[in-house]
Amino acid sequence: MSDTIQPELIVTGGRVYTSDPANEWAEAFAVAGGSIVAIGTDAEITALAAASTEVLDAGGRLVLPGLSDGHTHLGLGGGQAAWELPILPSDTKEEIFEKVAAWAADLGPDEWIVGGIVGSIVMDVVGTTADLASLDAASGGRPVLLRDDSMHNRWVSSRALELMGVTADSPDPEGGHYGRDESGALTGVLQELASAVVEKAHDESIADPDAHNKISLKKALEVVNSYGITAVQDAATMEYSWKALSAIEADGDVTAWVVGSMPARPFIESGTVGEELFAIGAAHRSEHIRPDFVKFVLDGVPMTRTTAMLRPYICHDHDDPQFTGESYWTLEELIETIELCYDRGLNGKLHATGDASVRLVLDAVEIVRERRGPGPIFQIAHVEFVDPVDVPRFAALGVVPDASPYIWYPGIIQESIKNQIPLETVEASWPTADFVNTGALLSAGSDWPCVLPSPDPWIGLETLVTRANIDPSVPGELNPSQKLSVADAVAAFTRNPAAAMGLDSVTGSLKVGLSADFIVLDRNIFEIEPREIHETKVDQTYFEGRKVYERAQVTV
């Protein structure tokens, strides 16, 4: 260890878990120029300090690398946190009406009410004209846009439908559906790409969208930092996000590594997609903002029976007993676009929620890998349903399982899934341990603001370990054979998603040469009961060696 290093910051007096398998634990480390320049014992690192060196005494607390969230929606999450009506996924429709009415009381007669997240169990039952009338009454006739916990569907008011230009005679948009009752009357429920129509109508109502979006994205970065997250992959990066992130970067206020994923086809958020969006992303590349991924959406979500499954959905009275859903892409189309990733030097994030669509992705990647060899990173989100024969193919093909443990617990969404997917398939879902054991790079992401109103990683980390709801009043464990060790769960929130984003030479672990992204926790998650991990609080978050978040201390 060189004694010529002049660190600007040293971190001592704690338990440092590096998430580096070659050197898991340390006592201290030193930072210079935003990077880690030395790791070792307290004595070794303290000896490097100069008179001007800042000393952070961790006071016996656990220090981890800054967390990496491999799947989030910064624009939607930041917009929700900055501007919108908060709705809990556990709220009943009656509670939602009350919240809408209270929010409306402070608005002008033509102002939009935008909020979320509405639980899937509510979305299952609000498809009636009576519920639409109740939403209209609660809002005082204002346009209302409420997003569900999958972010694939919306619930809107009559005034919003009017502003969308949608009537009972309007045809469904390609890839979407306007909810109607048995008489053909609109119910205000929008599925899949019908959601983009209302998003566009709302976007057009914003007087200064650039300023609005900059505030939203800045808020998103503040929120993720507060949970210890210093690297994120935005799962669907539209033009407005590139512009806002670039403006924040120009101000010197970007406080996380941001890897973008650009939709190849029309998306639930309105805006430019495909080649034109790829060019926009490339024009906004900067040190911290990286337009490195293409986003593919192969299917929808199980709650609306738009996920592509290998086995039939549960048959209800009016359903085809052999219905399995279908992919939005053919194998030939998928191969062609995966080839595009090779040609353009881009990676791919592929939304595939059903075991049939997962297999389709693996088949396409296998064909292209055989033709062209190793190349781009390909991730499959959300790997909930994967046929056992396909699990080993992830590691063999270098495909990343992008898991969202927030979806199974404590999300209400799971109850709605059980109404559509056979129980034996649900009970075998989320094969996280099998991915780890077969050598796949299991990576976790919050999917914020889907499922839960925050990207709280400690909930997801706990459920990877326990496979149980954080609420002790909810009994049972989901597929308990798939429990992970705390160390493997930490890897899924640190070095693994960093590598899956292409950032493993930048962040994800505490190693000499990597960015000094680290967090100080209020407890040691390796020593407490696993059922207490979700209570973890981040005391401090550092990005490139500078403090970007500090928890307010409550004094009594």
Side-chain angles (χ1 to χ4, degrees), residues 29-324:
F29 57 91
V31 177
S35 298
I36 296 172
V37 293
I39 298 178
T41 65
D42 280 332
E44 290 170 331
I45 300 303
T46 300
L48 300 176
S52 61
T53 300
E54 178 186 353
V55 178
L56 173 61
D57 184 348
R61 292 171 294 175
L62 179 67
V63 179
L64 291 180
L67 304 186
S68 300
D69 187 327
H71 193 121
T72 189
H73 297 269
L74 291 176
L76 290 171
Q80 185 181 93
W83 308 103
E84 298 172 7
L85 166 63
I87 295 172
L88 296 175
S90 56
D91 285 342
T92 66
K93 65 181 179 181
E94 289 77 15
E95 290 169 330
I96 293 171
F97 294 144
E98 291 175 2
K99 289 186 175 183
V100 167
W103 196 262
D106 296 325
L107 300 180
D110 298 317
E111 289 188 71
W112 280 77
I113 299 171
V114 181
I117 47 181
V118 179
S120 286
I121 55 175
V122 171
M123 294 296 291
D124 288 343
V125 300
V126 296
T128 69
T129 55
D131 288 327
L132 176 59
S134 295
L135 185 61
D136 293 342
S139 65
R142 294 171 177 81
V144 179
L145 161 56
L146 304 180
R147 303 184 180 103
D148 80 334
D149 53 9
S150 74
M151 289 291 152
H152 281 242
N153 309 301
R154 306 290 187 269
W155 184 21
V156 304
S157 66
S158 296
R159 178 60 176 151
L161 289 167
E162 181 183 337
L163 293 172
M164 292 162 60
V166 174
T167 69
D169 297 326
S170 298
D172 286 340
E174 183 176 357
H177 175 67
Y178 299 129
R180 296 175 171 86
D181 67 8
E182 293 180 356
S183 72
L186 293 168
T187 64
V189 173
L190 312 178
Q191 293 182 352
E192 298 296 334
L193 291 189
S195 300
V197 183
V198 71
E199 293 286 353
K200 183 174 186 293
H202 170 250
D203 289 346
E204 291 172 348
S205 74
I206 299 172
D208 187 347
D210 288 345
H212 178 97
N213 294 327
K214 184 179 178 182
I215 291 171
S216 296
L217 271 294
K218 184 70 163 57
K219 183 66 173 180
L221 293 173
E222 292 170 0
V223 170
V224 298
N225 288 161
S226 74
Y227 289 101
I229 298 164
T230 56
V232 295
Q233 181 161 355
D234 191 59
T237 318
M238 308 301 285
E239 181 178 8
Y240 76 87
S241 288
W242 291 125
K243 292 171 66 177
L245 288 166
S246 288
I248 298 168
E249 178 85 310
D251 293 341
D253 290 335
V254 170
T255 54
W257 305 97
V258 181
V259 174
S261 313
M262 299 167 285
R265 288 182 175 179
F267 190 64
I268 292 165
E269 292 186 81
S270 64
T272 302
V273 296
E275 288 285 355
E276 188 177 350
L277 182 58
F278 304 160
I280 291 168
H284 288 89
R285 178 180 293 278
S286 65
E287 181 181 3
H288 302 112
I289 312 301
R290 305 187 177 206
D292 289 345
F293 279 74
V294 178
K295 174 68 177 283
F296 307 72
V297 179
L298 271 84
D299 58 5
V301 291
M303 301 81 72
T304 57
R305 301 166 75 92
T306 51
T307 286
M309 301 296 295
L310 293 172
R311 299 163 189 81
Y313 282 84
I314 293 172
C315 183
H316 304 291
D317 291 342
H318 56 284
D319 296 323
D320 174 0
Q322 299 305 310
F323 180 71
T324 57

Side-chain angles (χ1 to χ4, degrees), residues 257 374 531 540:
W257 305 97
R531 293 298 297 263
Q540 294 167 320

Side-chain angles (χ1 to χ4, degrees), residues 388-411:
V389 302
D390 289 323
V391 170
R393 299 177 69 194
F394 281 78
L397 294 170
V399 173
V400 176
D402 166 15
S404 303
Y406 309 72
I407 291 178
W408 71 74
Y409 287 129

